[in-house]
Amino acid sequence: MEGPARKIVVLGTGGTIAGTAPDAGDHVGYRAAQLGVAALVAAAAGGTWLPSWQLETEQVAQIDSADLTHAVWQLLVRRAAAHLARDDVGALVVAHGTDTLEETAYLLHRVLAPAKPLVLTAAMRPATALQADGPQNLNDALTVAAESGARGVLAVIGGQVFAGAELRKQHPYRLDAFGAGDAGALGAVEQGTLRRWREWPSGAPLGPQVVEREVRSWPRVEIVTSHAGSDGRIVDALLAQGVDGLVVAGVGNGHVHTALQAALARARARGVAVALTTRCTQGVVVGATDDAGALTPVQARVELLLRLLAAPPEPG
Ligand code: ASP
């Protein structure tokens, strides 16, 4: 006799996928995070085409992901880790807003890098749109979650499958708003079937305990951009307020305005961790001395935040 059906847990966090607008033609004037995750699953046919899987839902948050907080991240990591540890759970799907999806995807990859699939999905149009993309994206995410051998943090949107750590939002409006820089997609979902041309993502996870510190005492990590007219005063203002880490979105191959460089030297001298990346939308900082050079500025911010969280507390 077959064992009990394995479960896919769908976690809701809000976003446009759960958004509604009074007018079906309105793709921008809607309110995000209005529908519960159970309604999203119902709109995606409840996963009925996956007969050997049962779906379970949990509302972890209900926010526009533009307002994402560290507290929501901490809760999401806790709930995801708890479900991934369950024997009866084979996969997780997380419905999220698109605006900060690449940050959450990177965080979950670095913290959990699970042996089971953790599939993020989202939508560019609210649930009330004439041609809402959310139900299909959720269907595709469930298809990938149920795929035999699937593993790691993934993002499924617009018919494409990305490694979570490589995800980049690169368009504010189009349905295919996401990419993965030079790495490209990992696969595609076509008519409910996954076609995959790259390996599933893997990595050495830091473990959920890394985000367990009281959120109010998390290090402060800010992003500063090098640009024409940079003068470094923003860094001095941050030093005056108190800052623990700075990500620099340099121009081109990680170049930084001389005046900003001088301010960053002052920051380093005060013990502030500085990571250099590029404001270019594609590519990596060639010859970079740390891993940040291969990340987008917002992902480099997550990396630096996690590095500081993982560091042993200062004595005294
Ligand atoms: N502001 C929305 C959010 O990130 C946008 C979206 O989901 O597409 O929650």
Side-chain angles (χ1 to χ4, degrees):
M1 205 178 107
E2 281 187 23
R6 295 175 80 205
K7 291 186 178 137
I8 300 174
V9 180
V10 185
L11 303 178
T13 66
T16 295
I17 193 168
T20 58
D23 171 358
D26 193 348
H27 297 163
V28 292
Y30 59 88
R31 291 185 66 187
Q34 301 302 302
L35 303 178
V37 65
L40 305 188
V41 168
T48 43
W49 73 103
L50 300 170
S52 58
W53 292 84
Q54 290 171 7
L55 301 194
E56 187 179 309
T57 59
E58 180 178 325
Q59 196 75 46
V60 172
Q62 189 63 305
I63 58 161
D64 183 320
S65 84
D67 298 327
L68 185 58
T69 62
H70 292 164
V72 170
W73 269 351
Q74 187 180 61
L75 182 60
L76 180 60
V77 167
R78 276 186 196 149
R79 297 310 300 143
H83 289 300
L84 287 166
R86 289 169 51 187
D87 289 339
D88 60 335
V89 170
L92 294 193
V93 169
V94 179
H96 195 287
T98 61
D99 284 341
T100 51
L101 191 63
E102 71 193 80
E103 294 171 62
T104 296
Y106 189 79
L107 176 97
L108 292 172
H109 169 74
R110 292 290 286 123
V111 173
L112 298 174
K116 297 175 184 177
L118 190 170
V119 187
L120 292 145
T121 194
M124 292 299 291
R125 292 181 182 163
T128 46
L130 279 177
Q131 287 191 314
D133 53 331
Q136 186 64 56
N137 288 343
L138 184 50
N139 274 30
D140 291 347
L142 289 166
T143 294
V144 173
E147 181 77 13
S148 171
R151 56 169 292 140
V153 176
L154 301 155
V156 176
I157 185 162
Q160 291 187 288
V161 184
F162 301 100
E166 294 165 352
L167 190 69
R168 295 164 182 224
K169 187 172 185 183
Q170 49 196 32
H171 199 281
Y173 186 80
R174 278 194 335 226
L175 295 184
D176 62 336
F178 285 84
D182 291 338
L186 188 144
V189 184
E190 297 155 339
Q191 286 288 123
T193 301
L194 173 69
R195 187 161 60 90
R196 180 170 62 90
W197 45 85
R198 287 176 50 207
E199 275 310 306
W200 298 111
S202 61
L206 294 164
Q209 74 289 343
V210 74
V211 296
E212 272 308 316
R213 191 192 299 179
E214 171 72 41
V215 164
R216 271 176 309 180
S217 69
W218 280 25
R220 181 170 180 197
V221 181
E222 297 288 347
I223 301 171
V224 295
T225 304
S226 186
H227 51 79
S230 281
D231 60 15
R233 277 186 291 173
I234 187 72
V235 172
D236 292 325
L238 287 167
L239 287 174
Q241 280 183 30
V243 67
D244 304 291
L246 290 170
V247 170
V248 188
V251 291
N253 195 39
H255 303 295
V256 177
H257 194 295
T258 321
L260 182 55
Q261 270 183 42
L264 293 168
R266 292 194 285 281
R268 281 198 186 89
R270 303 245 312 248
V272 175
V274 177
L276 178 66
T277 180
T278 175
R279 68 181 207 184
C280 291
T281 56
Q282 303 279 315
V284 302
V285 177
V286 176
T289 49
D290 70 27
D291 298 344
L295 301 172
T296 66
V298 291
Q299 289 174 330
R301 182 187 167 277
V302 176
E303 181 66 32
L304 185 51
L305 178 66
L306 291 172
R307 175 152 48 98
L308 294 171
L309 278 170
E314 293 282 313

